[in-house]
Amino acid sequence: MLGFYGVLHKLRWISFGTCLAAFGVCVYFATTLELPTSADVRLLNSGHEYERSYIWRQQLLSEQLEKLSGSKAYIVWESYQQIQGTKLVLDERFDASPEDAQTYLLKFCGDLFASDFASEIDNDFVCPMSRFDEWLTEQAASISPDVGYLQHCNSATSIPVPQANFHPCMSHWAATVDETSILSRNGKVEIMLLPYNSRVRFDSFFDILKAEWQLIEDWMVAKNNEAPLTVNQGFSSSFDFWWYDTNGQMLSTAYSAAAIALSASAAVILLASRSIILTFFSTLTIGFVLTSVTAVLVAIGWTLGFLESICFAILIGVSVDFVIHLAHAYGHKRGEISRGYRTKYSLLKMGPSILATAVTTILSAVVMLFTIITFFQKFALILFFTIIMATIGSFVFLLTCLDCIGPSNPTFLADRCMEKSCKIQTTAPTGTESASRFDIVMGKESHPGTKSFRIIVREYIRNQKRGDESKMLPPFSRMVCDAILDDLEEEHKVIKCPAPRFLIPDSSDADREDEALRLATKDEKTEFIRACYVEQQ
């Protein structure tokens, strides 16, 4: 790890520029991810005998003709609309009884089958309104008309039927001839269906489905604009377009899931690290992992189908782990510490564990590459690329950014805000003055009456040399001990300390002692603190 950091640090600015350029390229290619050409989901690889049989059957003339025949769809007018979740309520706007509405619905059938996208479902098909109109004509000319006709239809000879008689008359006719396209409740027509044959099927190419759906929607909008108010809410419905809508939602939810993952991870990192800059670099790295893996999938020819979208959701979760661990380790040390030291510390502290995790996860992905079911193969492949890119993103992209322009004191703003809001203070060695947690960690005096680390240590040494036991250093609070000795796990007692090794032997010159303190290394100071300070229970 030290050797890797040496190379990374030496080439950090070259690596920084390369990482930014690679990120831009990955973003560009990731945005070219397309939806599948077909909604047909295949669960087995092409070499399996079932899949070979499926491929062979696709070449048969019967299959080709069946696909060309299209599928069944409906134009719907109804008294129900779905609002407030799953609750169905009546839509009072639909009413086919006005005479202008009856005339419009009768004419609508001919207009529909004159369009490019619709045809009759069979050669003998007659529209429900046309059949109802023919029935009225037959009953009016009959010498023995139907009893229901005499009771409900007011001797109507054709459409339009008098408005007051339309609902009971048509409800009776639908029940008499067993017309399932007209649905009534309590003698009122609530739903009218007009079946037609569509040119597309659920397994048609996505672009063809999209164009067909848009054509039908535009045509329906135009017809509703010219329809009477009581029947201007008609719409087209087909099972085949459910797959089209599902595929479209896959792409939009993939982008929204990525945005949610980035936002959630940024919030967690911000709360854990208390650093806006560290949060920004971590989120940027997670974005690099997401876009780089997506770009690789585009390069190998993947589209965002049903199975791929499930795998993509897993990718978003896995890509966060390594980055968060390194970011937390970078901000673990408190105080003003150089970015190079922090980067090296995070690499040494978390690097081996992250590499071990990456290796074991990659090996598990390799095993799944040899499975038969396509989903597991796709899952293994996307997991493999995710771990590879997450490792590269964490060890190269993130560490390079932090080593170049990372914060030397990530929690500076948070500590200052905490200090001002909470006014945390600790007892000074003399018992008469106090030093804040921030002052002790930073070695600064922020206001009168506080003492820095250098002053505390110098006064303690002087009192020790004078043999003044009454002025021994008292225990520090747990918060201050945690701030200075973040790795201390043992309990210590206040003891009379020997003179630190970094002081000049047998020196009583305060200035020389001050100079020795200034030149002392952090490890020497830490060793002295471990011997003299206490973690209070």
Side-chain angles (χ1 to χ4, degrees):
M1 287 298 173
L2 285 175
F4 173 75
Y5 174 74
V7 175
L8 183 70
H9 182 72
K10 184 177 181 180
L11 303 175
R12 63 188 183 278
W13 290 109
I14 298 176
S15 179
F16 183 70
T18 304
C19 289
L20 293 181
F23 184 46
V25 172
C26 291
V27 170
Y28 170 76
F29 282 102
T31 56
T32 62
L33 181 64
E34 297 178 349
L35 293 171
T37 56
S38 174
D40 194 14
V41 179
R42 310 310 309 166
L43 297 178
L44 299 173
N45 59 58
S46 58
H48 195 275
E49 57 184 9
Y50 288 146
E51 285 301 301
R52 292 203 302 268
S53 173
Y54 170 80
I55 295 172
W56 175 80
R57 281 188 283 108
Q58 297 307 303
Q59 308 302 320
L60 296 177
L61 178 61
S62 58
E63 290 287 332
Q64 298 295 325
L65 293 176
E66 183 178 355
K67 287 185 177 182
L68 293 175
S69 65
S71 59
K72 196 172 184 179
Y74 296 89
I75 302 296
V76 184
W77 295 271
E78 60 180 359
S79 297
Y80 294 90
Q81 63 178 356
Q82 188 172 3
I83 63 172
Q84 299 176 353
T86 58
K87 184 179 179 181
L88 292 175
V89 297
L90 281 173
D91 179 11
E92 300 296 341
R93 290 174 297 179
F94 172 70
D95 186 3
S97 62
E99 294 187 6
D100 59 343
Q102 297 179 46
T103 304
Y104 168 80
L105 293 174
L106 179 63
K107 181 176 179 295
F108 183 92
C109 183
D111 294 342
L112 174 65
F113 294 125
S115 65
D116 295 332
F117 60 85
S119 60
E120 293 86 351
I121 57 177
D122 56 57
N123 294 331
D124 299 327
F125 176 77
V126 179
C127 294
M129 289 297 291
S130 299
R131 290 182 61 193
F132 178 56
D133 184 63
E134 293 174 359
W135 181 78
L136 290 173
T137 303
E138 292 174 359
Q139 295 298 320
S142 176
I143 58 174
S144 57
D146 185 85
V147 176
Y149 169 79
L150 297 176
Q151 292 178 348
H152 303 297
C153 300
N154 196 19
S155 301
T157 59
S158 63
I159 292 176
V161 178
Q163 182 172 351
N165 302 103
F166 175 80
H167 288 297
C169 181
M170 192 167 202
S171 298
H172 171 74
W173 167 76
T176 302
V177 300
D178 197 21
E179 178 57 65
T180 58
S181 298
I182 306 298
L183 303 180
S184 303
R185 187 180 68 169
N186 299 328
K188 180 182 178 181
V189 177
E190 299 285 8
I191 299 175
M192 296 183 67
L193 304 175
L194 177 54
Y196 69 94
N197 198 59
S198 174
R199 298 181 299 182
V200 296
R201 298 192 345 149
F202 79 95
D203 54 356
S204 299
F205 288 169
F206 181 83
D207 291 339
I208 296 177
L209 283 170
K210 182 179 180 180
E212 192 75 1
W213 171 258
Q214 194 60 52
L215 174 64
I216 297 173
E217 283 294 291
D218 292 342
W219 189 86
M220 284 302 305
V221 169
K223 295 300 292 183
N224 285 332
N225 289 336
E226 64 184 40
L229 293 178
T230 58
V231 289
N232 66 351
Q233 299 296 319
F235 60 90
S236 177
S237 177
S238 173
F239 295 150
D240 303 298
F241 289 111
W242 290 3
W243 283 102
Y244 158 74
D245 181 66
T246 300
N247 283 334
Q249 292 298 321
M250 286 178 186
L251 186 60
S252 61
T253 53
Y255 289 134
S256 61
I260 293 172
L262 289 175
S263 302
S265 58
V268 171
I269 295 172
L270 181 60
L271 292 175
S273 65
R274 297 178 298 159
S275 172
I276 296 177
I277 299 177
L278 196 58
T279 300
F280 172 75
F281 285 133
S282 301
T283 306
L284 193 67
T285 305
I286 296 172
F288 167 76
V289 176
L290 291 175
T291 55
S292 60
V293 174
T294 306
V296 171
L297 299 181
V298 172
I300 62 177
W302 276 31
T303 55
L304 191 62
F306 184 76
L307 299 179
E308 292 83 359
S309 63
I310 298 175
C311 298
F312 196 82
I314 299 171
L315 152 68
I316 295 173
V318 175
S319 61
V320 175
D321 293 346
F322 296 171
V323 176
I324 290 182
H325 289 313
L326 283 177
H328 179 266
Y330 182 89
H332 185 62
K333 292 286 186 181
R334 296 178 175 87
E336 188 77 25
I337 303 174
S338 67
R339 60 175 64 96
Y341 178 84
R342 287 183 177 277
T343 303
K344 182 167 63 174
Y345 174 81
S346 63
L347 179 61
L348 296 178
K349 193 75 173 178
M350 296 304 302
S353 300
I354 292 176
L355 281 180
T357 303
V359 170
T360 54
T361 309
I362 288 175
L363 290 178
S364 64
V366 170
V367 172
M368 286 193 293
L369 287 173
F370 300 98
T371 56
I372 296 176
I373 298 179
T374 303
F375 171 76
F376 294 116
Q377 292 180 350
K378 290 180 178 290
F379 174 73
L381 195 60
I382 202 169
L383 182 63
F384 178 84
F385 285 127
T386 300
I387 297 301
I388 293 295
M389 292 305 176
T391 304
I392 295 174
S394 301
F395 282 87
V396 179
F397 191 96
L398 177 63
L399 293 183
T400 297
C401 292
L402 295 176
D403 201 31
C404 291
I405 52 177
S408 56
N409 185 7
T411 61
F412 176 79
L413 292 176
D415 288 338
R416 295 291 287 187
C417 294
M418 183 183 297
E419 178 190 7
K420 291 181 179 180
S421 60
C422 300
K423 297 182 180 179
I424 302 174
Q425 293 185 344
T426 58
T427 305
T430 61
T432 59
E433 295 176 317
S434 62
S436 71
R437 172 189 178 209
F438 179 78
D439 296 329
I440 295 172
V441 177
M442 296 295 295
K444 298 178 180 178
E445 293 183 86
S446 60
H447 55 82
T450 62
K451 290 191 174 184
S452 70
F453 170 75
R454 291 177 55 197
I455 297 176
I456 292 172
V457 175
R458 188 183 69 183
E459 289 189 357
Y460 174 73
I461 295 171
R462 284 178 177 175
N463 293 333
Q464 184 189 40
K465 286 186 176 182
R466 297 189 185 107
D468 191 348
E469 299 291 339
S470 64
K471 293 185 178 180
M472 282 190 62
L473 187 68
F476 269 33
S477 68
R478 175 185 296 274
M479 185 173 294
V480 177
C481 288
D482 287 343
I484 300 178
L485 305 175
D486 52 2
D487 293 328
L488 184 61
E489 297 179 354
E490 302 176 0
E491 295 181 5
H492 294 275
K493 297 179 180 179
V494 177
I495 60 175
K496 186 175 181 179
C497 299
R501 290 182 299 170
F502 57 80
L503 291 183
I504 301 174
D506 301 325
S507 173
S508 59
D509 188 341
D511 292 336
R512 297 182 67 189
E513 289 180 358
D514 227 323
E515 181 67 14
L517 282 169
R518 187 178 67 81
L519 297 176
T521 64
K522 181 183 176 184
D523 291 339
E524 290 173 332
K525 290 181 180 180
T526 302
E527 181 183 353
F528 174 74
I529 296 171
R530 285 183 182 277
C532 300
Y533 283 37
V534 65
E535 182 180 9
Q536 192 174 17
Q537 297 298 321

